[in-house]
Short mmCIF file of all heavy atoms in Angstrom, two decimals:
data_model
loop_
_atom_site.label_atom_id
_atom_site.label_comp_id
_atom_site.label_asym_id
_atom_site.label_seq_id
_atom_site.Cartn_x
_atom_site.Cartn_y
_atom_site.Cartn_z
N GLY O 269 -16.93 12.10 -16.48
CA GLY O 269 -17.25 13.51 -16.36
C GLY O 269 -18.74 13.77 -16.43
O GLY O 269 -19.54 12.87 -16.74
N ARG O 270 -19.12 15.02 -16.19
CA ARG O 270 -20.54 15.39 -16.24
C ARG O 270 -21.11 15.18 -17.64
O ARG O 270 -22.31 15.01 -17.81
CB ARG O 270 -20.72 16.85 -15.81
CG ARG O 270 -20.48 17.05 -14.32
CD ARG O 270 -20.59 18.50 -13.92
NE ARG O 270 -19.60 19.30 -14.63
CZ ARG O 270 -19.80 20.55 -15.06
NH1 ARG O 270 -20.95 21.14 -14.86
NH2 ARG O 270 -18.84 21.20 -15.68
N ASP O 271 -20.22 15.17 -18.64
CA ASP O 271 -20.65 14.96 -20.03
C ASP O 271 -20.76 13.47 -20.38
O ASP O 271 -21.05 13.11 -21.51
CB ASP O 271 -19.65 15.64 -20.98
CG ASP O 271 -18.21 15.20 -20.74
OD1 ASP O 271 -17.98 14.27 -19.91
OD2 ASP O 271 -17.31 15.77 -21.36
N GLY O 272 -20.47 12.60 -19.40
CA GLY O 272 -20.54 11.16 -19.63
C GLY O 272 -19.29 10.55 -20.22
O GLY O 272 -19.22 9.34 -20.40
N VAL O 273 -18.28 11.39 -20.50
CA VAL O 273 -17.03 10.88 -21.08
C VAL O 273 -16.16 10.26 -19.99
O VAL O 273 -15.94 10.85 -18.93
CB VAL O 273 -16.26 12.02 -21.80
CG1 VAL O 273 -14.90 11.53 -22.28
CG2 VAL O 273 -17.09 12.55 -22.96
N ARG O 274 -15.69 9.03 -20.26
CA ARG O 274 -14.82 8.31 -19.32
C ARG O 274 -13.37 8.64 -19.63
O ARG O 274 -12.94 8.56 -20.77
CB ARG O 274 -15.03 6.80 -19.45
CG ARG O 274 -16.44 6.36 -19.07
CD ARG O 274 -16.66 4.88 -19.36
NE ARG O 274 -15.92 4.03 -18.44
CZ ARG O 274 -16.43 3.53 -17.31
NH1 ARG O 274 -17.68 3.80 -16.97
NH2 ARG O 274 -15.71 2.76 -16.53
N VAL O 275 -12.63 9.02 -18.59
CA VAL O 275 -11.20 9.32 -18.74
C VAL O 275 -10.42 8.45 -17.78
O VAL O 275 -10.68 8.46 -16.57
CB VAL O 275 -10.91 10.82 -18.44
CG1 VAL O 275 -9.41 11.09 -18.54
CG2 VAL O 275 -11.69 11.72 -19.38
N ALA O 276 -9.48 7.66 -18.32
CA ALA O 276 -8.64 6.79 -17.49
C ALA O 276 -7.28 7.47 -17.29
O ALA O 276 -6.74 8.08 -18.21
CB ALA O 276 -8.45 5.43 -18.16
N ARG O 277 -6.76 7.38 -16.07
CA ARG O 277 -5.46 7.98 -15.76
C ARG O 277 -4.60 6.97 -15.02
O ARG O 277 -5.09 6.16 -14.24
CB ARG O 277 -5.65 9.24 -14.93
CG ARG O 277 -6.43 10.31 -15.69
CD ARG O 277 -6.21 11.71 -15.16
NE ARG O 277 -6.71 12.68 -16.12
CZ ARG O 277 -7.89 13.30 -16.01
NH1 ARG O 277 -8.68 13.05 -14.98
NH2 ARG O 277 -8.26 14.19 -16.91
N ALA O 278 -3.30 7.06 -15.28
CA ALA O 278 -2.34 6.11 -14.70
C ALA O 278 -1.93 6.54 -13.29
O ALA O 278 -1.64 7.71 -13.05
CB ALA O 278 -1.11 6.02 -15.59
N VAL O 279 -1.92 5.58 -12.39
CA VAL O 279 -1.43 5.77 -11.03
C VAL O 279 -0.52 4.59 -10.68
O VAL O 279 -0.44 3.62 -11.44
CB VAL O 279 -2.58 5.85 -9.99
CG1 VAL O 279 -3.45 7.07 -10.24
CG2 VAL O 279 -3.41 4.58 -10.00
N THR O 280 0.14 4.68 -9.54
CA THR O 280 0.86 3.54 -8.99
C THR O 280 0.03 3.00 -7.84
O THR O 280 -0.50 3.79 -7.04
CB THR O 280 2.25 3.97 -8.47
OG1 THR O 280 3.00 4.50 -9.56
CG2 THR O 280 3.00 2.80 -7.85
N GLU O 281 -0.13 1.70 -7.78
CA GLU O 281 -0.87 1.08 -6.68
C GLU O 281 0.12 0.44 -5.72
O GLU O 281 1.07 -0.22 -6.14
CB GLU O 281 -1.83 0.01 -7.22
CG GLU O 281 -2.92 0.59 -8.11
CD GLU O 281 -3.88 -0.48 -8.62
OE1 GLU O 281 -3.48 -1.66 -8.76
OE2 GLU O 281 -5.04 -0.13 -8.88
N VAL O 282 -0.09 0.68 -4.42
CA VAL O 282 0.74 0.09 -3.38
C VAL O 282 -0.16 -0.59 -2.36
O VAL O 282 -1.28 -0.15 -2.13
CB VAL O 282 1.65 1.15 -2.69
CG1 VAL O 282 2.65 1.75 -3.66
CG2 VAL O 282 0.83 2.24 -2.02
N ALA O 283 0.34 -1.67 -1.75
CA ALA O 283 -0.45 -2.38 -0.75
C ALA O 283 -0.48 -1.62 0.57
O ALA O 283 -1.46 -1.67 1.30
CB ALA O 283 0.13 -3.78 -0.53
N ALA O 284 0.60 -0.89 0.86
CA ALA O 284 0.70 -0.13 2.11
C ALA O 284 1.57 1.09 1.87
O ALA O 284 2.44 1.08 0.98
CB ALA O 284 1.32 -1.01 3.20
N PRO O 285 1.35 2.16 2.64
CA PRO O 285 2.14 3.38 2.43
C PRO O 285 3.66 3.15 2.47
O PRO O 285 4.41 3.76 1.70
CB PRO O 285 1.69 4.28 3.59
CG PRO O 285 0.29 3.84 3.86
CD PRO O 285 0.31 2.35 3.65
N GLY O 286 4.10 2.24 3.35
CA GLY O 286 5.53 1.97 3.48
C GLY O 286 6.15 1.33 2.26
O GLY O 286 7.38 1.22 2.17
N ASP O 287 5.33 0.89 1.29
CA ASP O 287 5.86 0.29 0.07
C ASP O 287 6.41 1.33 -0.90
O ASP O 287 7.06 0.98 -1.88
CB ASP O 287 4.78 -0.54 -0.65
CG ASP O 287 4.39 -1.77 0.17
OD1 ASP O 287 5.17 -2.18 1.05
OD2 ASP O 287 3.30 -2.31 -0.08
N LEU O 288 6.14 2.60 -0.66
CA LEU O 288 6.72 3.64 -1.49
C LEU O 288 8.24 3.63 -1.29
O LEU O 288 8.72 3.43 -0.18
CB LEU O 288 6.20 5.03 -1.10
CG LEU O 288 4.80 5.41 -1.50
CD1 LEU O 288 4.48 6.82 -0.99
CD2 LEU O 288 4.63 5.37 -3.01
N PRO O 289 9.01 3.90 -2.36
CA PRO O 289 10.47 3.88 -2.22
C PRO O 289 11.03 5.06 -1.43
O PRO O 289 12.14 5.01 -0.94
CB PRO O 289 10.97 3.91 -3.67
CG PRO O 289 9.83 4.45 -4.46
CD PRO O 289 8.57 4.07 -3.74
N GLY O 290 10.25 6.12 -1.29
CA GLY O 290 10.71 7.28 -0.54
C GLY O 290 9.52 8.06 -0.06
O GLY O 290 8.38 7.73 -0.38
N PRO O 291 9.77 9.11 0.74
CA PRO O 291 8.64 9.85 1.31
C PRO O 291 7.83 10.57 0.24
O PRO O 291 8.40 11.13 -0.70
CB PRO O 291 9.31 10.85 2.25
CG PRO O 291 10.70 10.96 1.80
CD PRO O 291 11.06 9.66 1.15
N PRO O 292 6.52 10.57 0.37
CA PRO O 292 5.68 11.31 -0.57
C PRO O 292 5.78 12.81 -0.29
O PRO O 292 6.13 13.23 0.82
CB PRO O 292 4.27 10.80 -0.28
CG PRO O 292 4.32 10.35 1.14
CD PRO O 292 5.72 9.86 1.39
N ASP O 293 5.46 13.61 -1.30
CA ASP O 293 5.41 15.06 -1.11
C ASP O 293 4.15 15.47 -0.37
O ASP O 293 4.10 16.55 0.22
CB ASP O 293 5.47 15.76 -2.47
CG ASP O 293 6.82 15.56 -3.14
OD1 ASP O 293 7.81 16.09 -2.62
OD2 ASP O 293 6.88 14.84 -4.15
N LEU O 294 3.14 14.60 -0.43
CA LEU O 294 1.86 14.87 0.23
C LEU O 294 1.17 13.55 0.49
O LEU O 294 1.23 12.64 -0.34
CB LEU O 294 0.97 15.73 -0.69
CG LEU O 294 -0.43 16.04 -0.15
CD1 LEU O 294 -0.35 17.09 0.96
CD2 LEU O 294 -1.35 16.54 -1.26
N ILE O 295 0.50 13.45 1.65
CA ILE O 295 -0.36 12.30 1.94
C ILE O 295 -1.79 12.82 2.01
O ILE O 295 -2.08 13.76 2.76
CB ILE O 295 0.01 11.62 3.27
CG1 ILE O 295 1.45 11.13 3.24
CG2 ILE O 295 -0.96 10.46 3.56
CD1 ILE O 295 1.97 10.64 4.59
N VAL O 296 -2.68 12.23 1.21
CA VAL O 296 -4.09 12.59 1.23
C VAL O 296 -4.84 11.51 2.00
O VAL O 296 -4.86 10.36 1.57
CB VAL O 296 -4.65 12.73 -0.21
CG1 VAL O 296 -6.14 13.08 -0.16
CG2 VAL O 296 -3.87 13.78 -1.00
N PHE O 297 -5.42 11.88 3.15
CA PHE O 297 -6.17 10.92 3.96
C PHE O 297 -7.64 10.98 3.55
O PHE O 297 -8.43 11.71 4.16
CB PHE O 297 -6.00 11.21 5.45
CG PHE O 297 -4.63 10.89 5.98
CD1 PHE O 297 -3.75 11.89 6.35
CD2 PHE O 297 -4.23 9.56 6.11
CE1 PHE O 297 -2.48 11.58 6.84
CE2 PHE O 297 -2.96 9.24 6.59
CZ PHE O 297 -2.09 10.26 6.97
N ALA O 298 -8.00 10.21 2.51
CA ALA O 298 -9.36 10.23 1.96
C ALA O 298 -10.15 9.03 2.47
O ALA O 298 -10.69 8.25 1.70
CB ALA O 298 -9.31 10.25 0.45
N VAL O 299 -10.18 8.88 3.79
CA VAL O 299 -10.93 7.78 4.42
C VAL O 299 -11.99 8.38 5.33
O VAL O 299 -11.90 9.52 5.75
CB VAL O 299 -10.00 6.84 5.23
CG1 VAL O 299 -9.00 6.15 4.31
CG2 VAL O 299 -9.29 7.58 6.34
N LYS O 300 -12.99 7.55 5.65
CA LYS O 300 -14.04 7.98 6.56
C LYS O 300 -13.45 8.16 7.97
O LYS O 300 -12.44 7.57 8.32
CB LYS O 300 -15.15 6.93 6.60
CG LYS O 300 -15.80 6.67 5.25
CD LYS O 300 -16.96 7.64 5.02
CE LYS O 300 -17.85 7.24 3.86
NZ LYS O 300 -17.29 7.50 2.54
N ALA O 301 -14.12 8.97 8.78
CA ALA O 301 -13.60 9.33 10.10
C ALA O 301 -13.25 8.11 10.95
O ALA O 301 -12.21 8.11 11.62
CB ALA O 301 -14.61 10.21 10.83
N PHE O 302 -14.07 7.06 10.89
CA PHE O 302 -13.80 5.89 11.74
C PHE O 302 -12.57 5.11 11.32
O PHE O 302 -12.06 4.30 12.08
CB PHE O 302 -15.03 4.97 11.85
CG PHE O 302 -15.59 4.51 10.54
CD1 PHE O 302 -15.05 3.42 9.87
CD2 PHE O 302 -16.67 5.17 9.97
CE1 PHE O 302 -15.57 2.99 8.66
CE2 PHE O 302 -17.20 4.75 8.76
CZ PHE O 302 -16.64 3.66 8.10
#
Side-chain angles (χ1 to χ4, degrees):
R270 289 177 300 144
D271 54 7
V273 174
R274 296 173 71 94
V275 177
R277 297 202 167 100
V279 295
T280 299
E281 296 181 332
V282 296
D287 293 340
L288 285 179
D293 293 292
L294 178 74
I295 300 171
V296 179
F297 289 110
V299 297
K300 300 272 194 284
F302 55 83

